[in-house]
Each structure stands twice: as C-alpha cells, then as structure tokens.
Amino acid sequence: MALIWALAVALLLAHGGYLWLVKGVVPDTDILALLPVEQRDPVLQQAFTHMVDAAQQRVIVLVGADDWEHARAAADAYSAVLAKHPALLQSGVQLSAQNQQDWLAPSQQMRLSLLTPAQQTALRTQPPQYWVDTALQQLYSPFSGPKLSAWQDDPFGLFSGWVQARAQETPVRPRDGYLFVEDKGRPYIMLLMNLRQPAFSMATQQALLPLLEQAGKAARQAAPAVELISAGVVLHAGAGSAQASREMSTIGIGSLLGVVLLMWLTFRSLRPIGLIVLSIGIGCLAAFSLCWMIFGQVHLLTLVFGASLIGVAQDYGIYFLCSRVFADQSLGSWQLLRRLLPGLALTLAAAVIGYIGLALTPFPGLRQMALFSVLGLVFAWLTVIFWFPTLLTAATLKSSPFASWVGRTRRHWPLLRLNRASALIALLFGIFALAGMMRLTVNDDIRSLQTPPKALLADQIKLGKLLDAPTPVQFYLVRGASAEQVLQREETLRQRLEPLIVKHVISGYQAMSNWTPSLQAQAANRALVTQALLAADGPLKTLAVQLGEGDGWVAQMRSRALSAAASANGGHDLTPAEFLKSAASEPSRHLWLGKVESAQGSVYASIVALRGLNNYGNLPTLKQAAEQLEGVSWVDKVSEISSVLGHYRQYMGWVLLGAYAAIYLLLFARYRSAAWRVLTPPAVASIATLALLGLLAQPLQLFHVLALMLILGLGVDYGIFLQEQGMQRDRFAWLTVSLSAASALLSFGLLALSATPPLHAFGFTMLIGIAIVWLIAPCFNQDLQPEKEEKNANKS
C-alpha cells in the first residue's frame, strides 16, 4: 500500500507541476463565479468587466502648483522620467489644436441633429425675436463663447451650446498640449498613463512604484512646492503586496519558528516536522489538482478556505507521533496503527461530515470548497496511514522531558461534575453569552474588508473630487434588441436623472446618447430646428432683414443648415458605431458594450455612468430611478458582492449547525451517552467567541464563520483524542491535544495581529476559540481518573 500510495503521489506531483509550470494556472478571482449559474447575469458581468478593465490598467497623476508655469515645469520633469520606460507605461498623447478640431468633426457634420434638453425646450417655447437676438449676439459680441465654426454654419449657437454641454461632463480642459483641472485658482495638470503590464503582477508593482517615486523627485526638483496626487489600482495592489510581505516576514516566520521549536522540544528530531509537512503538502496538492480536473478552475477563496487544512490535517500526524513516543517500545508501528485506527478514522469522518455539509448548498463556490477540503483531508490522512508506520520505528522517536512534563500537566485540570461550582460557572457563562450575543451585529460590506493606506485613500478621494470622475461600481445597465432601442431607453432614463442633478443627488451622468442620440431623437431635433428657426417666416427671415440681407442670403443660409439634414436622411446618421471610430469617443468608449450574448440570446447594451456620487445614502434614490423602466437595471457592484458574502455567511452558519448535528450522531454510534462530552467544548468555544465579538463591538463577517468551522473540526479532534484516551488509558492524548492547539494558535492565532481585516477576523476567532477549546476540553473527559494518570506518570 505504501508503494501504491507513492505512485499516486508521483502522479499528483506530475499533474501539479504541469498546472503550475507549464500551463501557468491562475486562481479565479471573480466573486460572482461563486454564485449559482442561474443567478449570474452574463451581460452584467461583461458590463462590469468593461468598466473595470480600463480603470485597472490606468494610472493618473495630478501635478498641482500655485501657477501654470510651475505646474507645467513639474509635469514636464515628471513625464520625462516616465518617457524612458515605454515598455512599462504608455503616456497619453499630447494635445494640439488640430486633433481637438478632429474630435468635433463627426458631430459637426450632424450638428442639426444634436440638441440639449434646454435647447429643445427653448425652441418650443421662446419667441422668434429671442433667436434673432441670440444670433446677433453670436455675430457681434466678443464674449459670446468659443467659435467652433463659421458663424454662417451655426448662427443661433445651437452646436456651440451642445458642445459646451458635453464639456460640462468633465472639469478637465486642454491647455498648452496638456489636460488640466483647476481648483480655487490652483491648476492641476493631469498625466494619464496606461500600464502595459498586468496591474496585479508583483513584477509590475516592483518596477512601477520606484519609477513613480523617481518621477516625483524630479518634479519636486523642478518646482519645490509642487503637489502630486496619484491614483490607480496598481498603487493599491502594491501597497497590499508590501503589507502582505511585511506580515509574512513577521507573523509567518514567527509562527513557523514557534512550531519548529515546539516540535523540537517534544521530539528532539526534525523528522516529525518533515513528516507532518509532507502529509499536509500532499493533501493540499491533491486537493488543488483534483479540483482543477473536476471544475476546470479553482477560486481564490477556495484556496483561502483550504488553508484550514493545515490546522486539521496536522492532527493526524501529531496523534500518531505522540502515540509513538509514549507507546510500548516493543510495539511495532503497524500494531500501534491498528490500535489508533478507530480514533483516526473517527476524526476523519467527523471532519468530512462537516465539510460535506457545504456541498449541499446551492452555491458552486461552497461546493468547490467542500470538495477541496474533503480531498485534502483524505489524502493527508492516507499519507499518515500508509507512510508514517514505515518511516517511524520505535527507535526513531524518544520521549523528551518536555513531552513528559506536558503529559503530566493533564492532572491539574478539574473534571466536570454535577455540583454547585459547575452550576455557578454555567450560570456566569450563560449571562456572559447572552450579554454578548445580544450586542452582536453583522457587516457583510466588502468595503469593511479593505484598509488602504491613508495617504493613498486621501489621494483617491481628492482626485475623485477634482476630476468629478464617475464611479465604476455603481451605474445603470441599459439593454435592448437593437442599438436604437438602447439609445431610446437611455434617453428615457436621462429624463429621470435630470431632477436628481438639480437636487444635488449626483453632479451629472455620462451616456452614449449624450453624444449620439437615437435616430428617433435626431429626426425630432432636425424637425424642431427646421420648424422653429428655418421656416419661411421664421427667425432666419427676420435676421436677414435686420442685417440688410435679401432672399438670396436667406436661401443660402437655409441650404447650409439643411445640408446636414439631407445627408442624415441619406443614411449617414450619427450612430454609436460611427462615433466610436472618432477620437472624441475615447473618454466614452467604456459606456458602449454593443452586441453581447445573454441567456436569452444576443442583445445590445450600454452603461450610464454617474458623477458626483459621494453620499451612499442616495443609492436607494438612484435605484428607484430605474424602476419600471424596461431594459434598464441599477447596478451596485459593492452591494452585490456584499450580498454574496452575506449569503455565504448565512449558509455557512446553517451548515455549521448541521455539521454539529451530523457529527453528534456519528459520535453517538461510538461513545453513546458520552458523545456530548466530545462536541460540547467546540460549541462552548464558538458561543464564547461570538459573545466576545459582540462585547467588543466587532460585527460578524464571513471569515468569522469560516474560523468557527475550523474550530469545530479541531475541537472535535481534541475531544475524540481525549475520549479515546479515557477508553484505552493511554497518556499521549493530552500531549497530542496540547501540541495541536499550540500549533494552531501559532499558525492561525497570530493572524489576529494582521492589519488585513479578513485575516485579522479569521485569526482573532481562531485565537479565542482554540484557546478556549484547549482549556475546557479535559474538563469534559469523565472517564479519565487522576489516580491512574498519576500512577502512570510516576511509572514513566
């Protein structure tokens, strides 16, 4: 069996090497992949990916100074440093008067079809003289606004007004080849760069962050008082990687050294440490390899949850090692294994039952976690069964003074009895648990799991306010059977958003229909302009009289205006497809998804993004704006991901309760009326941990519940070891429990020191729960008799 198992492990190593070295696997990070297929919206997923992908590779730096010259000098110095690394960063193109004119060319050709809501209202309500006065002001006043074309092409300023309305979608303006924004008279030049390498690559982060620091120094040398504001996903990812590295070097190395020292003091040999690591490594490798074969992908959250295998799987090896130390030296390892097999099998069965409960949930993510955990535990357990007896003989391990001392400490624990002291302790614990549980709250908000550095967060907030940029995680998704239908539905939505701008719920919105109205709207605009301004007795005729022009001039002006309408009617309407070919579409390309595949077939889709969404209390109002609008849905990605985490927390809670019930039935088959003594310590520890969270005002999250699942797995192991000791009168079980608990506290409990909220929550729960289980588990072992233990201790 040992040789057969070696062959199986070799095959797993080969497959694992193929996955990691040849195929280059990357864990799935999409949290929506954890949802049931029927609950996942492919169009919504594409919309979010469309919004996020571009932002993920973008780095924005604002270079601010007291005056334009200093800001420009600093920006030139900053850009010069970045220009030396074109393989890493692609800088934004320099602006010129010519390419600015090129931006307007497609729209200018269709100027008669483009009107703002205010212009539409004015055309319907204002008298002819209003338009005559407007045209004269456009002709004679030097302050009538920018001249985008000849006066004869736009005498009433309609196209200029439409362009100015589009310009209001962002405070960014061009100047001297740069884009800039101004705040209280202080100019900020915007440097927009795109990463050529993946933002989440550590190599990218290690190359980019020092480069930005170097560019910042160059900018400060050019203008000492310069202000630099930086934002980008890569900056946050780099900060997270740096924090993880720091914690790895402190918490990780500290816990590893602690476990190694503990094992050395116990066994005075490095072989036990290697064997335990071997069993855990094979378990994790097998779990990953087989899950990849079955699912075709392994989610990152599965790997995070799978880390709990380290805590449970090590118990099997420690149990065998400790029994080898205290067992009769004349007893062979295979004979010892046969004696231990019932207890080992029971611990595996209890753990597997707990994890199989996850497979009964409707979430594919939980099913993947269940399979990963079960496979990992089974393979680690089989490694102990098939290899440990062969690799360990009676002469391999000797009892150390430390191991003997730990074994003797068991007699200092009191046993649970029906007396006043036990009743008083139970009453006090009940009061404590009730007080804490009543104060316990829940918080599934994904934002509570993130703690970006304060400087980065401050830069992100300030940059968002200066640029008035739309948020990529809250938007409207508009769908339709055709591009025309999508644009029409956008226009209906925009009518509901206009009052929200007046109420300062948002500062504005970005939509493709702002730039390319629906064909229906374009036709209506042309008809409105023709009727209100170009009629035979309309404002154009009156204007000619005041200018002293004749009928020929009127006919020429009408012909120039109607030429755009004629080309439009000839099949050259402004459409999203045509607009996206122009340079002007670059800032808006993320808004148009075009033709996408959905569960119901092909549909067209677009995004309406919101600006100035600073108060999350307004989210219900924005959601209400999309209600009863066909094809329009409100998307709040933060709320959606938080909802997924909330569902998982609830399901994990029910699975945890079901696991307690199923494990009790399993234990009852062997221990009968004493089964509750095995299960009560982890239950008490879990209740105490939840109560403490309530008293400390720490809201319950998914990672707390994941830790409670691990506390159940480890706590049941401790109870089974002690109960088996009580039945067989062996002394090694308390050493096993103590070593396992100490290792778990060092491996997981120290995560409570982490500054990363999920790891802190997991580690804090483990620290409290495992410590309580270790402290109270011996008190429930009724069968152990102190007199016999003392006699055995003296004999050893």
Side-chain angles (χ1 to χ4, degrees), residues 240-264:
S241 299
Q243 179 175 294
S245 299
R246 290 193 300 269
E247 293 180 353
M248 179 86 64
S249 61
T250 53
I251 300 174
I253 294 177
S255 63
L256 178 61
L257 293 177
V259 171
V260 170
L261 177 61
L262 189 65
M263 294 298 177
W264 174 259

PDB file of all heavy atoms in Angstrom, residues 240-264:
ATOM      1  N   GLY A 240      -0.861  46.647  -0.896  1.00  0.00           N
ATOM      2  CA  GLY A 240      -1.304  45.384  -0.311  1.00  0.00           C
ATOM      3  C   GLY A 240      -0.219  44.335  -0.335  1.00  0.00           C
ATOM      4  O   GLY A 240      -0.035  43.580   0.635  1.00  0.00           O
ATOM      5  N   SER A 241       0.536  44.258  -1.445  1.00  0.00           N
ATOM      6  CA  SER A 241       1.626  43.293  -1.540  1.00  0.00           C
ATOM      7  C   SER A 241       2.721  43.603  -0.523  1.00  0.00           C
ATOM      8  O   SER A 241       3.271  42.690   0.100  1.00  0.00           O
ATOM      9  CB  SER A 241       2.205  43.297  -2.960  1.00  0.00           C
ATOM     10  OG  SER A 241       1.234  42.934  -3.903  1.00  0.00           O
ATOM     11  N   ALA A 242       3.029  44.892  -0.356  1.00  0.00           N
ATOM     12  CA  ALA A 242       4.052  45.269   0.610  1.00  0.00           C
ATOM     13  C   ALA A 242       3.618  44.917   2.032  1.00  0.00           C
ATOM     14  O   ALA A 242       4.418  44.413   2.833  1.00  0.00           O
ATOM     15  CB  ALA A 242       4.339  46.770   0.507  1.00  0.00           C
ATOM     16  N   GLN A 243       2.331  45.156   2.334  1.00  0.00           N
ATOM     17  CA  GLN A 243       1.830  44.803   3.659  1.00  0.00           C
ATOM     18  C   GLN A 243       1.852  43.298   3.876  1.00  0.00           C
ATOM     19  O   GLN A 243       2.239  42.810   4.944  1.00  0.00           O
ATOM     20  CB  GLN A 243       0.398  45.326   3.821  1.00  0.00           C
ATOM     21  CG  GLN A 243      -0.237  44.979   5.172  1.00  0.00           C
ATOM     22  CD  GLN A 243      -1.603  45.619   5.321  1.00  0.00           C
ATOM     23  OE1 GLN A 243      -1.713  46.830   5.377  1.00  0.00           O
ATOM     24  NE2 GLN A 243      -2.641  44.816   5.384  1.00  0.00           N
ATOM     25  N   ALA A 244       1.467  42.542   2.833  1.00  0.00           N
ATOM     26  CA  ALA A 244       1.491  41.084   2.949  1.00  0.00           C
ATOM     27  C   ALA A 244       2.917  40.581   3.160  1.00  0.00           C
ATOM     28  O   ALA A 244       3.152  39.643   3.936  1.00  0.00           O
ATOM     29  CB  ALA A 244       0.889  40.451   1.694  1.00  0.00           C
ATOM     30  N   SER A 245       3.883  41.198   2.482  1.00  0.00           N
ATOM     31  CA  SER A 245       5.280  40.784   2.647  1.00  0.00           C
ATOM     32  C   SER A 245       5.768  41.062   4.063  1.00  0.00           C
ATOM     33  O   SER A 245       6.476  40.242   4.662  1.00  0.00           O
ATOM     34  CB  SER A 245       6.164  41.522   1.630  1.00  0.00           C
ATOM     35  OG  SER A 245       5.772  41.212   0.309  1.00  0.00           O
ATOM     36  N   ARG A 246       5.388  42.232   4.591  1.00  0.00           N
ATOM     37  CA  ARG A 246       5.795  42.553   5.964  1.00  0.00           C
ATOM     38  C   ARG A 246       5.206  41.558   6.965  1.00  0.00           C
ATOM     39  O   ARG A 246       5.883  41.085   7.876  1.00  0.00           O
ATOM     40  CB  ARG A 246       5.367  43.975   6.320  1.00  0.00           C
ATOM     41  CG  ARG A 246       6.143  45.065   5.594  1.00  0.00           C
ATOM     42  CD  ARG A 246       5.877  46.420   6.224  1.00  0.00           C
ATOM     43  NE  ARG A 246       4.469  46.776   6.180  1.00  0.00           N
ATOM     44  CZ  ARG A 246       3.908  47.457   5.185  1.00  0.00           C
ATOM     45  NH1 ARG A 246       4.634  47.835   4.157  1.00  0.00           N
ATOM     46  NH2 ARG A 246       2.626  47.766   5.218  1.00  0.00           N
ATOM     47  N   GLU A 247       3.909  41.249   6.771  1.00  0.00           N
ATOM     48  CA  GLU A 247       3.263  40.324   7.695  1.00  0.00           C
ATOM     49  C   GLU A 247       3.805  38.901   7.524  1.00  0.00           C
ATOM     50  O   GLU A 247       3.899  38.144   8.484  1.00  0.00           O
ATOM     51  CB  GLU A 247       1.754  40.361   7.494  1.00  0.00           C
ATOM     52  CG  GLU A 247       1.142  41.694   7.899  1.00  0.00           C
ATOM     53  CD  GLU A 247      -0.363  41.723   7.694  1.00  0.00           C
ATOM     54  OE1 GLU A 247      -0.892  40.765   7.114  1.00  0.00           O
ATOM     55  OE2 GLU A 247      -1.000  42.708   8.116  1.00  0.00           O
ATOM     56  N   MET A 248       4.156  38.556   6.286  1.00  0.00           N
ATOM     57  CA  MET A 248       4.729  37.242   6.048  1.00  0.00           C
ATOM     58  C   MET A 248       6.042  37.104   6.794  1.00  0.00           C
ATOM     59  O   MET A 248       6.333  36.057   7.385  1.00  0.00           O
ATOM     60  CB  MET A 248       4.958  37.045   4.541  1.00  0.00           C
ATOM     61  CG  MET A 248       5.565  35.716   4.172  1.00  0.00           C
ATOM     62  SD  MET A 248       4.358  34.408   3.957  1.00  0.00           S
ATOM     63  CE  MET A 248       3.420  34.962   2.565  1.00  0.00           C
ATOM     64  N   SER A 249       6.851  38.164   6.771  1.00  0.00           N
ATOM     65  CA  SER A 249       8.161  38.090   7.406  1.00  0.00           C
ATOM     66  C   SER A 249       8.078  38.147   8.926  1.00  0.00           C
ATOM     67  O   SER A 249       9.003  37.700   9.601  1.00  0.00           O
ATOM     68  CB  SER A 249       9.047  39.233   6.903  1.00  0.00           C
ATOM     69  OG  SER A 249       8.465  40.483   7.227  1.00  0.00           O
ATOM     70  N   THR A 250       7.016  38.682   9.468  1.00  0.00           N
ATOM     71  CA  THR A 250       6.895  38.767  10.926  1.00  0.00           C
ATOM     72  C   THR A 250       5.990  37.654  11.470  1.00  0.00           C
ATOM     73  O   THR A 250       6.449  36.763  12.187  1.00  0.00           O
ATOM     74  CB  THR A 250       6.342  40.139  11.320  1.00  0.00           C
ATOM     75  OG1 THR A 250       5.120  40.390  10.591  1.00  0.00           O
ATOM     76  CG2 THR A 250       7.325  41.234  10.988  1.00  0.00           C
ATOM     77  N   ILE A 251       4.713  37.705  11.083  1.00  0.00           N
ATOM     78  CA  ILE A 251       3.765  36.713  11.590  1.00  0.00           C
ATOM     79  C   ILE A 251       4.095  35.324  11.053  1.00  0.00           C
ATOM     80  O   ILE A 251       4.158  34.338  11.807  1.00  0.00           O
ATOM     81  CB  ILE A 251       2.327  37.109  11.206  1.00  0.00           C
ATOM     82  CG1 ILE A 251       1.972  38.473  11.812  1.00  0.00           C
ATOM     83  CG2 ILE A 251       1.343  36.047  11.659  1.00  0.00           C
ATOM     84  CD1 ILE A 251       0.624  39.003  11.371  1.00  0.00           C
ATOM     85  N   GLY A 252       4.324  35.226   9.734  1.00  0.00           N
ATOM     86  CA  GLY A 252       4.562  33.920   9.125  1.00  0.00           C
ATOM     87  C   GLY A 252       5.821  33.252   9.646  1.00  0.00           C
ATOM     88  O   GLY A 252       5.802  32.103  10.100  1.00  0.00           O
ATOM     89  N   ILE A 253       6.932  33.979   9.598  1.00  0.00           N
ATOM     90  CA  ILE A 253       8.193  33.394  10.061  1.00  0.00           C
ATOM     91  C   ILE A 253       8.148  33.148  11.560  1.00  0.00           C
ATOM     92  O   ILE A 253       8.642  32.133  12.063  1.00  0.00           O
ATOM     93  CB  ILE A 253       9.366  34.319   9.685  1.00  0.00           C
ATOM     94  CG1 ILE A 253       9.508  34.376   8.159  1.00  0.00           C
ATOM     95  CG2 ILE A 253      10.660  33.842  10.325  1.00  0.00           C
ATOM     96  CD1 ILE A 253      10.590  35.311   7.668  1.00  0.00           C
ATOM     97  N   GLY A 254       7.499  34.070  12.298  1.00  0.00           N
ATOM     98  CA  GLY A 254       7.397  33.884  13.747  1.00  0.00           C
ATOM     99  C   GLY A 254       6.622  32.632  14.107  1.00  0.00           C
ATOM    100  O   GLY A 254       7.039  31.854  14.982  1.00  0.00           O
ATOM    101  N   SER A 255       5.494  32.411  13.436  1.00  0.00           N
ATOM    102  CA  SER A 255       4.703  31.212  13.730  1.00  0.00           C
ATOM    103  C   SER A 255       5.443  29.952  13.300  1.00  0.00           C
ATOM    104  O   SER A 255       5.395  28.926  13.983  1.00  0.00           O
ATOM    105  CB  SER A 255       3.348  31.289  13.027  1.00  0.00           C
ATOM    106  OG  SER A 255       3.499  31.323  11.630  1.00  0.00           O
ATOM    107  N   LEU A 256       6.149  30.013  12.165  1.00  0.00           N
ATOM    108  CA  LEU A 256       6.900  28.845  11.697  1.00  0.00           C
ATOM    109  C   LEU A 256       8.004  28.481  12.684  1.00  0.00           C
ATOM    110  O   LEU A 256       8.173  27.302  13.039  1.00  0.00           O
ATOM    111  CB  LEU A 256       7.498  29.138  10.319  1.00  0.00           C
ATOM    112  CG  LEU A 256       8.363  28.032   9.713  1.00  0.00           C
ATOM    113  CD1 LEU A 256       7.548  26.762   9.513  1.00  0.00           C
ATOM    114  CD2 LEU A 256       8.982  28.486   8.397  1.00  0.00           C
ATOM    115  N   LEU A 257       8.741  29.481  13.140  1.00  0.00           N
ATOM    116  CA  LEU A 257       9.794  29.209  14.115  1.00  0.00           C
ATOM    117  C   LEU A 257       9.220  28.665  15.413  1.00  0.00           C
ATOM    118  O   LEU A 257       9.802  27.779  16.047  1.00  0.00           O
ATOM    119  CB  LEU A 257      10.600  30.487  14.385  1.00  0.00           C
ATOM    120  CG  LEU A 257      11.448  31.012  13.215  1.00  0.00           C
ATOM    121  CD1 LEU A 257      12.124  32.319  13.599  1.00  0.00           C
ATOM    122  CD2 LEU A 257      12.487  29.977  12.804  1.00  0.00           C
ATOM    123  N   GLY A 258       8.047  29.186  15.802  1.00  0.00           N
ATOM    124  CA  GLY A 258       7.412  28.689  17.019  1.00  0.00           C
ATOM    125  C   GLY A 258       7.016  27.232  16.912  1.00  0.00           C
ATOM    126  O   GLY A 258       7.229  26.439  17.842  1.00  0.00           O
ATOM    127  N   VAL A 259       6.448  26.844  15.768  1.00  0.00           N
ATOM    128  CA  VAL A 259       6.042  25.450  15.571  1.00  0.00           C
ATOM    129  C   VAL A 259       7.264  24.538  15.529  1.00  0.00           C
ATOM    130  O   VAL A 259       7.269  23.448  16.128  1.00  0.00           O
ATOM    131  CB  VAL A 259       5.221  25.318  14.272  1.00  0.00           C
ATOM    132  CG1 VAL A 259       4.980  23.850  13.938  1.00  0.00           C
ATOM    133  CG2 VAL A 259       3.895  26.049  14.410  1.00  0.00           C
ATOM    134  N   VAL A 260       8.317  24.971  14.821  1.00  0.00           N
ATOM    135  CA  VAL A 260       9.541  24.161  14.747  1.00  0.00           C
ATOM    136  C   VAL A 260      10.144  23.971  16.137  1.00  0.00           C
ATOM    137  O   VAL A 260      10.551  22.859  16.518  1.00  0.00           O
ATOM    138  CB  VAL A 260      10.557  24.816  13.790  1.00  0.00           C
ATOM    139  CG1 VAL A 260      11.912  24.122  13.884  1.00  0.00           C
ATOM    140  CG2 VAL A 260      10.039  24.775  12.362  1.00  0.00           C
ATOM    141  N   LEU A 261      10.195  25.052  16.925  1.00  0.00           N
ATOM    142  CA  LEU A 261      10.738  24.949  18.273  1.00  0.00           C
ATOM    143  C   LEU A 261       9.893  24.016  19.131  1.00  0.00           C
ATOM    144  O   LEU A 261      10.420  23.196  19.902  1.00  0.00           O
ATOM    145  CB  LEU A 261      10.803  26.351  18.900  1.00  0.00           C
ATOM    146  CG  LEU A 261      11.299  26.412  20.359  1.00  0.00           C
ATOM    147  CD1 LEU A 261      12.726  25.883  20.466  1.00  0.00           C
ATOM    148  CD2 LEU A 261      11.215  27.840  20.893  1.00  0.00           C
ATOM    149  N   LEU A 262       8.590  24.107  18.999  1.00  0.00           N
ATOM    150  CA  LEU A 262       7.685  23.260  19.773  1.00  0.00           C
ATOM    151  C   LEU A 262       7.910  21.782  19.438  1.00  0.00           C
ATOM    152  O   LEU A 262       7.984  20.927  20.337  1.00  0.00           O
ATOM    153  CB  LEU A 262       6.242  23.671  19.472  1.00  0.00           C
ATOM    154  CG  LEU A 262       5.136  23.060  20.327  1.00  0.00           C
ATOM    155  CD1 LEU A 262       5.268  23.506  21.771  1.00  0.00           C
ATOM    156  CD2 LEU A 262       3.776  23.464  19.762  1.00  0.00           C
ATOM    157  N   MET A 263       8.000  21.470  18.161  1.00  0.00           N
ATOM    158  CA  MET A 263       8.227  20.089  17.750  1.00  0.00           C
ATOM    159  C   MET A 263       9.602  19.592  18.180  1.00  0.00           C
ATOM    160  O   MET A 263       9.772  18.427  18.563  1.00  0.00           O
ATOM    161  CB  MET A 263       8.080  19.975  16.222  1.00  0.00           C
ATOM    162  CG  MET A 263       6.678  20.244  15.721  1.00  0.00           C
ATOM    163  SD  MET A 263       5.469  19.061  16.369  1.00  0.00           S
ATOM    164  CE  MET A 263       3.960  19.705  15.665  1.00  0.00           C
ATOM    165  N   TRP A 264      10.586  20.474  18.141  1.00  0.00           N
ATOM    166  CA  TRP A 264      11.935  20.066  18.555  1.00  0.00           C
ATOM    167  C   TRP A 264      11.972  19.756  20.051  1.00  0.00           C
ATOM    168  O   TRP A 264      12.591  18.771  20.477  1.00  0.00           O
ATOM    169  CB  TRP A 264      12.931  21.165  18.212  1.00  0.00           C
ATOM    170  CG  TRP A 264      14.322  20.888  18.743  1.00  0.00           C
ATOM    171  CD1 TRP A 264      14.902  21.415  19.849  1.00  0.00           C
ATOM    172  CD2 TRP A 264      15.260  19.982  18.170  1.00  0.00           C
ATOM    173  NE1 TRP A 264      16.160  20.907  20.024  1.00  0.00           N
ATOM    174  CE2 TRP A 264      16.402  20.013  19.002  1.00  0.00           C
ATOM    175  CE3 TRP A 264      15.261  19.148  17.059  1.00  0.00           C
ATOM    176  CZ2 TRP A 264      17.536  19.254  18.738  1.00  0.00           C
ATOM    177  CZ3 TRP A 264      16.385  18.390  16.804  1.00  0.00           C
ATOM    178  CH2 TRP A 264      17.507  18.440  17.635  1.00  0.00           C
TER     179      TRP A 264
END
